[in-house]
Amino acid sequence: MNRKSRRNTVKKEIWLIFLGVFFVVFFLIFMNNFFKSVWERSGIEEAEETQTYDYQYAMIVDSGNEELWQAVYGSAKEQAEKYRVNVELMVSSKADGYDENDYMEISIASGVDGIILEYNGEEDLKDEINKAVEQKIPVVTVMNDAQDSKRQSFVGVNDYQLGQAYGQQVVKLMDENTRNILILLNSEEGDLEKNQIYSLISSAVKNTPGGKEIQVTARNMTTGSKFDIEEAMRQIFQDPQGPPQILVCMDETTTECAYQTMIDFNMVGDVKIIGYYLSDAIREAVQKGLIPVTFSLDAVQMGKDTVEALWEYKQEGRVNSYYNVDLNFITEDTALSSDSEGRYENENS
């Protein structure tokens, strides 16, 4: 090969190298811009940014998987972020062996800035509330109140309001066939007949014409296990004397289990269920007229108020002892009418 041919060969090789480098650089720039565009559109970049908080609240509940508590927690967390507060949800669970008392002790030991607690009526839990307050950690009870504890505030509907409201709904459902009414309570009280909700419902029934002949009984459903609740429902519907004509449920899981058992035993129309809350399953049952009425409250308001109570106490050193949450009962006629935030236009109790 002569000198001229070698020079031409070298030039070609240089151009090929140049061309290869150009394509590699072009490919890298293209892929970088492509992935950057995808990253920005996905919102992952913002999600990955480290969020810093000035304060930490603990929300301790006994039934966090229910739609109601997820809605309450979501609202509380959203409200808390406005004040640079992080809210951690702690759910009592037999699976991991931690109950509300354990989470109270953990929260106190870690020095959280506030505690939102679904009080379950246990005296030991009341002691934990007092211990937290003594260590300068404010406690707000939600849904159920620990009245004679040192808690700073209660957010929810008190038992007197709830008992009166449920009593009115029970009376509306009574007819000439009503002989037995069963109230499924969530209470740690040994004598359920001293429960204020039970007493008010019973009084409402007895004060109606023929009401004194109707048996009103109560049963405790604080088992903590859906399987146990399902088994209890089967026992109720298979009672040798027959199931109650009116069944009053005081929580979401109990309502759904009662509804499913009624379907399984083909007793639609024989048992009238007064439900609790408005999960997807309960809403569908009400819309079909299979559950005549269900209790509902504003979960968004409740979540916001728990945070506002703790924040107000931190800023002012005092807080309202009671935040009332709107209480409604939803029927087939009103179950379909909701606004964009899931609130319902119903008859107020």
Side-chain angles (χ1 to χ4, degrees):
M1 181 182 294
N2 58 35
R3 185 178 299 177
K4 185 175 181 181
S5 297
R6 284 199 299 273
R7 280 202 303 269
N8 290 337
T9 300
V10 170
K11 286 181 180 179
K12 288 180 180 178
E13 290 175 349
I14 291 173
W15 274 108
L16 287 172
I17 292 171
F18 246 132
L19 190 62
V21 170
F22 171 79
F23 278 116
V24 169
V25 172
F26 176 81
F27 177 76
L28 291 174
I29 293 173
F30 171 79
M31 293 303 294
N32 178 66
N33 289 335
F34 173 77
F35 281 114
K36 184 178 180 181
S37 175
V38 172
W39 187 270
E40 289 174 349
R41 287 199 304 270
S42 68
I44 296 175
E45 189 170 7
E46 288 108 271
E48 289 294 321
E49 291 181 0
T50 302
Q51 176 67 55
T52 58
Y53 298 99
D54 296 331
Y55 305 100
Q56 178 77 26
Y57 292 166
M59 176 179 281
I60 303 171
V61 304
D62 190 46
S63 46
N65 291 328
E66 294 183 358
E67 290 182 30
L68 168 63
W69 285 110
Q70 290 301 322
V72 173
Y73 171 65
S75 174
K77 189 171 181 63
E78 181 179 355
Q79 185 68 14
E81 287 178 351
K82 298 177 182 179
Y83 304 125
R84 298 178 65 84
V85 176
N86 182 49
V87 181
E88 181 180 359
L89 180 63
M90 300 177 176
V91 182
S92 177
S93 171
K94 290 184 178 180
D96 58 20
Y98 290 101
D99 59 16
E100 289 181 299
N101 286 34
D102 295 323
Y103 283 126
M104 283 292 292
E105 292 180 0
I106 292 170
S107 299
I108 294 169
S110 61
V112 298
D113 300 290
I115 296 174
I116 300 164
L117 174 68
E118 179 195 7
Y119 179 62
N120 63 11
E122 293 181 0
E123 286 297 320
D124 289 347
L125 194 55
K126 196 176 295 181
D127 293 338
E128 293 295 331
I129 294 173
N130 295 339
K131 186 191 301 183
V133 175
E134 288 166 3
Q135 296 191 30
K136 310 300 182 184
I137 300 174
V139 178
V140 171
T141 55
V142 59
M143 191 65 75
N144 304 310
D145 194 15
Q147 293 181 347
D148 53 349
S149 71
K150 295 181 179 180
R151 60 89 172 137
Q152 271 66 41
S153 186
F154 166 61
V155 177
V157 180
N158 64 46
D159 285 354
Y160 181 80
Q161 286 178 288
L162 203 55
Q164 280 198 322
Y166 267 101
Q168 293 171 9
Q169 298 303 317
V170 168
V171 169
K172 288 180 182 179
L173 292 181
M174 287 166 47
D175 56 30
E176 65 277 5
N177 297 318
T178 305
R179 293 290 178 267
N180 187 6
I181 297 169
L182 178 59
I183 305 166
L184 302 177
L185 295 168
N186 290 315
S187 173
E188 295 294 333
E189 295 181 45
D191 187 356
L192 293 178
E193 292 191 358
K194 292 183 179 179
N195 181 280
Q196 190 173 30
I197 295 175
Y198 167 81
S199 298
L200 289 166
I201 295 175
S202 181
S203 295
V205 171
K206 301 303 180 186
N207 289 333
T208 60
K212 292 181 180 180
E213 299 177 3
I214 297 175
Q215 183 181 21
V216 182
T217 56
R219 179 168 178 169
N220 191 3
M221 299 299 288
T222 56
T223 60
S225 164
K226 185 175 181 180
F227 175 81
D228 290 339
I229 294 174
E230 290 172 342
E231 181 60 31
M233 285 300 167
R234 284 191 287 271
Q235 294 174 5
I236 290 169
F237 278 80
Q238 288 181 309
D239 190 291
Q241 297 180 358
Q245 286 74 50
I246 298 177
L247 188 60
V248 181
C249 301
M250 301 299 296
D251 70 66
E252 181 183 332
T253 302
T254 300
T255 304
E256 292 181 351
C257 290
Y259 169 60
Q260 187 58 53
T261 307
M262 180 181 69
I263 298 295
D264 293 343
F265 284 90
N266 195 26
M267 290 188 176
V268 175
D270 297 328
V271 179
K272 299 174 183 176
I273 296 173
I274 297 181
Y276 183 97
Y277 195 55
L278 203 68
S279 67
D280 290 341
I282 298 171
R283 180 187 294 108
E284 182 179 356
V286 174
Q287 289 172 348
K288 292 179 178 178
L290 302 178
I291 292 179
V293 62
T294 188
F295 158 77
S296 180
L297 47 72
D298 191 336
V300 173
Q301 177 193 352
M302 188 157 62
K304 290 175 64 176
D305 284 349
T306 57
V307 171
E308 286 298 325
L310 287 174
W311 187 252
E312 182 180 343
Y313 183 79
K314 178 173 182 58
Q315 301 302 310
E316 307 292 338
R318 55 183 173 75
V319 66
N320 293 336
S321 61
Y322 176 44
Y323 283 72
N324 186 40
V325 176
D326 293 341
L327 167 68
N328 292 304
F329 280 90
I330 299 168
T331 64
E332 182 181 1
D333 294 333
T334 55
L336 294 172
S337 58
S338 65
D339 65 19
S340 60
E341 293 184 345
R343 297 184 179 90
Y344 291 80
E345 298 298 333
N346 312 300
E347 53 178 321
N348 280 318
S349 57

